[in-house]
């Protein structure tokens, strides 16, 4: 099959199948067209659409591995001079792998949603949204030009806002929705500036045509400055990735996306929106390779995110928020790999992370179902015997997350750490410290959650007076402010509030449609890293797709040190990351299972640090005061001066006063008497004659 072109009609069916499902559920299954179909039809149509997309994606990946490719136009939308605006696909190993990840995770989320959303009035609407989300992401990863990339980029953002604010009657959902919208607009502004710069100087939006001119672009400077044009363009593109993939300081929207239902939390965090930026930078590797400045910027931003967002996970008590901050930290790891010029490692971690992060989110949702919508881990404990499937799959996900040898997360995380050690890009020293420290932090907060949820004393079905149990001593000292949620995350307004179990009630295992996706996601979380590290990182899987310059030797050094997946796992048992992860697990066990007084001691001794973490480094306050406050000040200024005084006062009212004055003047002149008009005419004729009479001196 080498050199064979893929069938464009089959490729087109991949994104269109979920779109068709979304149309059936969203148009026919809602009040839009009068609820013509029921719940069963809606979820069947959407699941069938995503299943078709997944099967075709797998077929495409297998064909690509045999050498088949496709890079062509599907639809020519508009031509302006020499500029073509097209819908086109570029199918290679990178896009085919992303198609499989997106469709598989989406399929599991669709099946899971049947059980999770069964009591929700917006059942059909939710299925329409997640199918539309899948369509948008597929258009993004399959694109062969910047126009379609931007379309998919914005469409993913649009549907994510609909999903984050799904329970739109809840004030907290509105706030979270607005935050996601505004923060992503900041990132998208940078993104479109980057695209605009490349379009202006390359004269095309096609990836391959831009890449063909990369050497010419590398010689150019931004007009009026000595800044390298390519550096500015790459940094602008990455600012877009900072928004979509939630990198510091544009990360603030992601934890608040928890206001949406758990299935969409899994989809946003695992396989779609947050991975868009990582994919985009990897796709643009021929450009980023020519700018060490841009790579350093990426490396430092990723390091900050990997370490400092992980710290926030330690103090969270909402089970979903622990996993959310875990996502932020892991995205930091991926970004660090990008900055180390190890794009294939970043994409590899994107893939492994998609499976175990989706597993952890859906596992958290399963726990929430079993706990009757109580999300506070302080109200749980001992769930292992009541929810055995959720327990074992969550354990697999947690072990994969912390990088346990043989689990998928081990191969990708350790490869990132090794890539950072091998790189010589400025900022590598800080990055190395951040990713190593992050290993301990990740293990600590992950297993803090795991132990408090599945082991120890049963704390459900009680009057929840947090602080009376030893486990909760830190929060007891903290008082009301340290309750399970920040003030703006309380969820008492709707049916999905944190009801909790009544006294005497016991948790229960989730139904089949909920635990089946957990099992299906646990399998790749366990095996996919072992099976794919060889071809993806050290083989020819990304050959001709991801480009690494000779001046960036990190990947070459990794390949020299790689002697097989099993040898890597055995060697990993003696390396620093393994012992840091193990010490994090042991520390979590000691602090929350053996001696709960330790967290209380830390809280008492380091109260200021706890306050800093509890307020999320005051970034929300900063945004509220500086950006939101500045926007309000500007708006009020424009309203008071620009609108009221300038437009209404000077322009509108001023013009009215001028007209009134002219009218009063004309009333004086326009008397209606003929002799007045005759007198004016005589004066005019007299002036005319005087001006043209010959006695005036010659000019």
């Amino acid at each position: 099959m080498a050199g064979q072109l893929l069938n464009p009609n089959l490729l087109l069916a991949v994104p269109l199948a979920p779109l068709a499902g979304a149309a059936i559920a969203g148009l026919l299954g809602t009040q839009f067209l009068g609820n013509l179909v029921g719940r069963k039809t809606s979820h069947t149509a959407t699941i069938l659409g995503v299943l078709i997309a997944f099967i075709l994606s797998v077929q495409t990946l297998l064909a690509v591995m045999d050498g088949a490719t496709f890079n062509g136009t599907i639809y020519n939308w508009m031509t302006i001079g020499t500029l073509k605006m097209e819908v086109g696909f570029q199918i290679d190993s990178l896009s085919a792998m992303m198609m499989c990840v997106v469709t598989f995770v989406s399929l599991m989320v669709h099946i899971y949603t049947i059980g999770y959303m069964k009591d929700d009035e917006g059942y059909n609407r939710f299925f329409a949204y997640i199918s539309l989300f899948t369509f948008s992401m597929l258009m993004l990863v399959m694109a062969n030009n910047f126009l379609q990339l931007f379309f998919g980029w914005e469409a993913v953002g649009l549907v994510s806002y609909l999903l984050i604010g799904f329970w739109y009657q809840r004030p907290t959902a509105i706030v979270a929705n607005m935050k996601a919208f505004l923060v992503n607009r900041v990132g998208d502004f940078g993104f479109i500036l980057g695209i605009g710069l490349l379009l202006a100087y390359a004269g095309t939006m096609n990836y391959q045509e831009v890449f063909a001119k990369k050497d010419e672009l590398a010689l150019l400077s931004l007009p009026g400055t000595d800044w390298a044009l390519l550096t500015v363009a790459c940094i602008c593109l990455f600012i877009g990735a900072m928004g979509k993939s939630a990198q510091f300081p544009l990360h603030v929207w992601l934890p608040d996306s928890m206001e949406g239902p758990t299935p969409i939390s899994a989809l946003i965090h695992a396989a779609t929106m947050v991975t868009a930026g990582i994919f985009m930078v990897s796709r643009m590797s021929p450009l980023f390779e020519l700018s060490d400045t841009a790579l350093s910027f990426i490396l430092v931003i990723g390091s900050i995110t990997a370490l400092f967002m992980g710290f926030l996970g330690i103090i969270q008590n909402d089970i979903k928020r622990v996993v959310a901050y875990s996502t932020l930290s892991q995205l930091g790891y991926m970004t660090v790999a990008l900055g180390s010029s190890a794009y294939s490692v970043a994409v590899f971690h994107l893939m492994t992370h998609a499976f175990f992060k989706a597993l952890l989110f859906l596992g958290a949702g399963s726990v929430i179902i079993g706990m009757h919508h109580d999300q506070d881990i302080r109200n749980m404990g001992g769930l292992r015997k009541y929810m055995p499937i959720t327990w074992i799959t969550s354990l697999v996900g947690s072990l994969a997350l912390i990088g346990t040898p043989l689990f998928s997360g081990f191969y990708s995380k350790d490869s990132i750490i090794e890539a950072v050690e091998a790189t010589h890009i400025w900022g590598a020293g800080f990055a190395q410290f951040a990713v190593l420290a992050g290993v301990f932090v990740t293990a600590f907060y992950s297993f803090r959650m795991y132990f408090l949820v599945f082991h120890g004393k049963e704390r459900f079905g009680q009057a929840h007076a947090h602080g009376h149990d030893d486990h909760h001593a830190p929060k007891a000292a903290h008082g009301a402010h340290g309750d399970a949620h920040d003030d703006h995350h309380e969820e008492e307004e709707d049916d999905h509030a944190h009801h909790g179990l009544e006294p005497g009630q016991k948790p229960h295992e989730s139904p089949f449609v909920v635990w089946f996706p957990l099992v299906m996601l646990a399998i790749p979380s366990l095996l996919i890293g072992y099976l794919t590290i060889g071809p993806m990182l050290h083989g020819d899987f990304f050959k001709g797709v991801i480009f690494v310059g000779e001046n960036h030797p990190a990947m070459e050094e990794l390949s020299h040190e790689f002697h097989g997946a099993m040898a890597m796992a055995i060697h990993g048992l003696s390396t620093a990351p393994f012992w840091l992860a193990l010490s994090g697990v042991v520390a979590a066990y000691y602090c929350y299972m053996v001696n709960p007084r330790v967290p209380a001691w830390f809280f008492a001794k380091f109260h200021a640090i706890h306050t800093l973490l509890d307020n999320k480094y005051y970034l929300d306050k900063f945004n509220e005061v500086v950006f939101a406050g500045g926007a309000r000040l500007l708006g009020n200024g424009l309203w008071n001066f620009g609108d009221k005084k300038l437009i209404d006062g000077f322009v509108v009212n001023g013009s009215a006063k001028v007209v009134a004055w002219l009218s009063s003047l004309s009333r004086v002149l326009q008397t209606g008497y003929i002799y007045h008009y005759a007198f004016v005419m005589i004066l005019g004729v007299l002036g005319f004659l005087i001006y043209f009479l010959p006695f005036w001196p010659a000019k």
Side-chain angles (χ1 to χ4, degrees):
M1 195 177 275
Q4 182 178 330
L5 287 178
L6 295 164
N7 186 334
N9 294 323
L10 286 178
L11 294 176
L12 190 58
V14 175
L16 289 186
L19 181 62
I24 292 170
L27 298 177
L28 304 179
T30 63
Q31 294 181 1
F32 191 82
L33 291 179
N35 291 310
L36 298 177
V37 300
R39 292 188 167 204
K40 190 173 181 179
T41 303
S42 293
H43 73 233
T44 302
T46 51
I47 290 172
L48 185 62
V50 177
L51 178 62
I52 291 169
F54 172 63
I55 293 169
L56 292 175
S57 296
V58 172
Q59 289 179 347
T60 301
L61 179 61
L62 294 173
V64 168
M65 290 173 69
D66 283 341
T69 59
F70 183 86
N71 186 8
T73 301
I74 302 297
Y75 173 67
N76 189 8
W77 178 46
M78 186 165 52
T79 302
I80 305 174
T82 58
L83 177 62
K84 292 182 178 180
M85 298 187 178
E86 306 168 325
V87 175
F89 294 155
Q90 179 176 327
I91 307 302
D92 49 31
S93 53
L94 177 59
S95 52
M97 183 276 292
M98 288 293 298
M99 287 159 61
C100 290
V101 170
V102 169
T103 51
F104 178 73
V105 173
S106 178
L107 179 61
M108 294 301 106
V109 167
H110 274 72
I111 296 170
Y112 180 93
T113 299
I114 296 173
Y116 193 87
M117 299 293 288
K118 65 181 177 69
D119 297 325
D120 197 280
E121 292 182 359
Y123 186 89
N124 292 354
R125 178 166 58 95
F126 188 79
F127 271 99
Y129 286 171
I130 56 177
S131 260
L132 189 59
F133 202 9
T134 308
F135 158 76
S136 304
M137 190 64 191
L138 287 169
M139 291 297 287
L140 187 156
V141 300
M142 295 171 73
N144 75 340
N145 62 85
F146 285 103
L147 178 69
Q148 188 177 327
L149 175 73
F150 190 73
F151 161 75
W153 196 267
E154 292 303 310
V156 166
L158 169 66
V159 186
S160 72
Y161 311 140
L162 293 172
L163 285 160
I164 293 169
F166 182 78
W167 290 316
Y168 53 85
Q169 294 177 327
R170 188 194 304 173
T172 50
I174 297 169
V175 171
N177 201 18
M178 187 64 71
K179 186 185 288 188
F181 180 82
L182 292 175
V183 172
N184 272 281
R185 294 289 66 73
V186 176
D188 291 352
F189 181 68
F191 187 57
I192 202 166
L193 281 178
I195 294 174
L197 279 172
L198 293 174
L199 172 60
Y201 287 90
T204 178
M205 288 194 183
N206 186 277
Y207 293 160
Q208 296 306 320
E209 292 174 5
V210 173
F211 298 161
K213 297 182 179 181
K214 63 182 181 179
D215 294 326
E216 301 171 31
L217 296 172
L219 301 174
L220 300 176
S221 297
L222 198 67
T225 71
D226 58 353
W227 299 346
L229 175 75
L230 211 52
T231 296
V232 175
C234 287
I235 288 175
C236 285
L237 288 174
F238 180 68
I239 289 171
M242 286 168 64
K244 279 289 183 288
S245 287
Q247 295 299 292
F248 176 90
L250 301 183
H251 68 279
V252 293
W253 68 270
L254 191 61
D256 287 343
S257 69
M258 299 297 95
E259 292 297 330
T262 296
I264 194 51
S265 301
L267 204 53
I268 286 178
H269 285 248
T272 51
M273 193 171 180
V274 294
T275 64
I278 307 298
F279 163 81
M280 184 273 295
V281 175
S282 301
R283 175 63 83 197
M284 302 299 137
S285 60
L287 303 179
F288 281 87
E289 276 301 281
L290 298 175
S291 176
D292 278 12
T293 305
L295 290 177
S296 288
F297 180 73
I298 294 171
L299 189 61
V300 172
I301 292 292
S303 303
I304 294 170
T305 309
L307 181 59
F308 290 96
M309 296 304 110
F311 286 139
L312 296 179
I314 295 174
I315 67 161
Q316 301 300 316
N317 290 310
D318 184 319
I319 188 171
K320 285 174 56 177
R321 287 186 184 277
V322 178
V323 188
Y325 281 107
S326 161
T327 301
L328 282 174
S329 180
Q330 296 309 304
L331 282 166
Y333 275 85
M334 298 175 207
T335 306
V336 165
L338 294 174
S340 303
S341 193
Y343 308 97
S344 56
V345 179
V347 173
F348 183 48
H349 192 50
L350 182 161
M351 179 192 70
T352 61
H353 174 266
F355 297 118
F356 62 72
K357 187 52 54 72
L359 171 59
L360 286 170
F361 262 114
L362 298 186
S366 178
V367 168
I368 293 168
I369 293 172
M371 292 294 299
H372 287 207
H373 298 292
D374 189 351
Q375 296 180 195
D376 195 331
I377 60 177
R378 297 170 299 169
N379 300 335
M380 300 177 188
L383 296 189
R384 178 170 59 109
K385 65 180 181 182
Y386 301 104
M387 307 180 73
I389 300 173
T390 303
W391 161 64
I392 196 68
T393 52
S394 297
L395 178 59
V396 169
S398 299
L399 290 171
L401 171 61
I402 69 171
T404 309
L406 290 177
F407 287 76
S408 61
F410 160 76
Y411 292 101
S412 52
K413 282 185 76 172
D414 262 40
S415 297
I416 292 172
I417 294 168
E418 290 172 9
V420 174
E421 291 176 356
T423 192
H424 305 298
I425 294 168
W426 187 88
F430 171 58
Q432 191 173 347
F433 166 76
V435 293
L436 281 172
V439 172
F440 175 85
V441 173
T442 301
F444 184 83
Y445 68 66
S446 299
F447 275 82
R448 168 184 176 264
M449 178 184 74
Y450 169 76
F451 289 131
L452 287 178
V453 171
F454 294 106
H455 295 272
K457 178 183 174 184
E458 296 178 4
R459 298 179 297 278
F460 45 81
Q462 303 171 9
H464 307 311
H466 298 307
H468 298 296
D469 282 333
D470 289 338
H471 294 306
H472 314 135
K475 286 296 185 181
H478 196 38
H481 182 68
D483 204 3
H485 309 283
D486 299 326
D487 295 340
H488 57 288
H489 294 132
E490 292 177 357
E491 299 180 353
E492 273 77 329
E493 290 86 6
D494 69 278
D495 293 337
H496 289 260
H498 296 188
H499 302 302
L501 296 170
E502 298 296 328
Q505 276 189 305
K506 300 294 183 183
H508 54 83
E509 185 61 91
S510 301
F512 172 79
V513 289
V514 171
W515 66 254
F516 173 74
L518 300 183
V519 175
M520 295 303 294
L521 287 164
I523 296 168
S525 299
L526 184 60
L527 299 174
I528 198 76
Y530 181 89
L531 297 174
T532 60
I533 183 171
M536 287 186 72
L537 297 194
H538 310 293
D540 295 333
F541 188 79
F542 289 126
K543 186 177 181 181
V545 180
I546 289 175
F547 296 87
V548 179
E550 293 180 359
N551 57 327
H552 297 141
M555 286 306 301
E556 190 176 344
E557 290 190 27
L558 258 66
S559 295
H560 286 316
E561 296 172 2
F562 182 72
H563 302 292
M566 183 56 71
M568 183 177 175
I570 294 169
H571 175 69
L573 295 171
S574 60
T575 58
F578 171 75
W579 290 105
L580 284 167
L582 183 62
S583 57
V585 174
V586 171
Y589 183 79
Y590 181 77
C591 290
Y592 294 95
M593 293 289 102
V594 178
N595 190 3
R597 291 185 297 275
V598 173
W601 179 84
F602 268 97
F603 175 77
K605 290 291 183 182
F606 304 100
H607 181 70
I609 294 175
H610 186 281
T611 303
L612 179 68
L613 296 176
D614 197 47
N615 287 280
K616 296 173 281 189
Y617 306 116
Y618 293 98
L619 284 171
D620 279 338
K621 179 64 72 175
F622 178 82
N623 289 333
E624 185 180 332
V625 172
V626 176
F627 292 113
R632 283 195 296 270
L633 186 66
L634 178 64
N636 288 332
L638 290 172
W639 174 56
N640 283 316
F641 176 77
D643 190 32
K644 291 174 67 176
K645 293 182 179 178
L646 186 62
I647 297 173
D648 285 347
F650 180 75
V651 177
V652 178
N653 295 335
S655 60
K657 288 177 181 178
V658 169
V659 170
W661 179 77
L662 290 173
S663 301
S664 63
L665 183 63
S666 66
R667 278 197 295 273
V668 173
L669 299 174
Q670 299 283 352
T671 62
Y673 294 109
I674 294 176
Y675 62 85
H676 282 170
Y677 300 142
F679 180 69
V680 172
M681 290 175 65
I682 292 168
L683 288 177
V685 171
L686 182 63
F688 185 81
L689 291 172
I690 292 171
Y691 185 80
F692 287 102
L693 280 178
F695 57 74
W696 290 103
K699 296 181 179 178

